[in-house]
């Protein structure tokens, strides 16, 4: 079994009762909403990662204003030739403030749309669990930077 670690940084950007989300396109073509952000490049600081990723996925310039927390997940994924990957995702979640740019959609990445959604509509959206984690971090701002969600 291969061990894989992915470190990524994401932003919770809330403005006028709406949250900015990007629509992720899974390898199988399924589409679900997620927080804007993504994987760190080797040697990159997570602060710089979130700035780069939000711009790539949404067109906006963002200023990370607060570290909300760090989320860790583990998954087992099938790989080629009947093998499996023991995957761990380490997600650094910031509160982000939009400072410029214009909303646009990513054309060559893992997302295909970016949009502002009313906070009260988020639970009804088809979304990844990172959205729930990020919103709970934003709402509760736990001192230890970690939230307990159902099923985890």
């Amino acid at each position: 079994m291969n061990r894989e670690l992915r470190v990524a940084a994401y932003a919770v950007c809330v403005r006028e009762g709406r949250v900015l989300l990007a629509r992720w396109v899974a390898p199988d073509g399924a589409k679900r909403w997620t927080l804007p952000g993504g994987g760190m490049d080797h040697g990159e600081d997570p602060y710089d990662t979130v700035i780069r990723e939000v711009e790539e996925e949404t067109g906006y310039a963002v200023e990370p204003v607060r570290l909300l927390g760090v989320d860790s997940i583990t998954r087992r994924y099938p790989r080629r030739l009947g093998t499996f990957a023991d995957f761990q995702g380490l997600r650094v979640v910031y509160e982000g403030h939009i400072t410029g740019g214009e909303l646009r959609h990513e054309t060559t990445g893992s997302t295909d749309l970016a949009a502002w959604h009313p906070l009260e509509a988020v639970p009804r959206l088809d979304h990844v669990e990172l959205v729930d984690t990020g919103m709970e971090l934003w709402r509760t701002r736990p001192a230890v930077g970690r939230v307990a969600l159902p099923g985890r």
Side-chain angles (χ1 to χ4, degrees), residues 23-32 77-79 109-110 112 126 128:
R23 193 171 69 176
W24 174 64
V25 181
D28 67 1
K31 297 178 180 185
R32 299 188 322 177
Y77 291 115
R79 292 293 187 233
S110 60
D112 69 346
D126 189 8
V128 301

Side-chain angles (χ1 to χ4, degrees), residues 12 66-70 93-95 134 137-138 141-142 144-146:
V12 177
R66 175 176 287 115
L67 176 63
L68 294 174
V70 178
V93 183
Y94 292 94
E95 179 178 4
L137 286 167
W138 178 78
R141 301 174 191 274
V144 296
R146 183 171 188 265

Side-chain angles (χ1 to χ4, degrees), residues 6-22:
R6 181 175 187 261
V7 181
Y10 297 89
V12 177
C13 301
V14 175
R15 179 169 78 183
E16 300 173 0
R18 296 175 169 266
V19 63
L20 180 63
L21 298 176

Side-chain angles (χ1 to χ4, degrees), residues 52-98:
R52 174 179 55 76
E53 285 283 344
V54 169
E55 194 282 325
E56 287 176 5
E57 293 183 354
T58 71
Y60 286 120
V62 67
E63 176 187 1
V65 294
R66 175 176 287 115
L67 176 63
L68 294 174
V70 178
D71 184 53
S72 179
I73 59 163
T74 56
R75 304 278 191 270
R76 189 169 185 248
Y77 291 115
R79 292 293 187 233
R80 291 183 293 175
L81 304 175
T83 63
F84 288 87
D86 180 7
F87 173 84
Q88 180 178 7
L90 187 66
R91 290 109 56 107
V92 180
V93 183
Y94 292 94
E95 179 178 4
H97 174 71
I98 303 299

Side-chain angles (χ1 to χ4, degrees), residues 54-60 102-107 113-115:
V54 169
E55 194 282 325
E56 287 176 5
E57 293 183 354
T58 71
Y60 286 120
E102 292 184 19
L103 182 65
R104 63 148 173 75
H105 311 305
E106 186 175 33
T107 56
L113 291 176

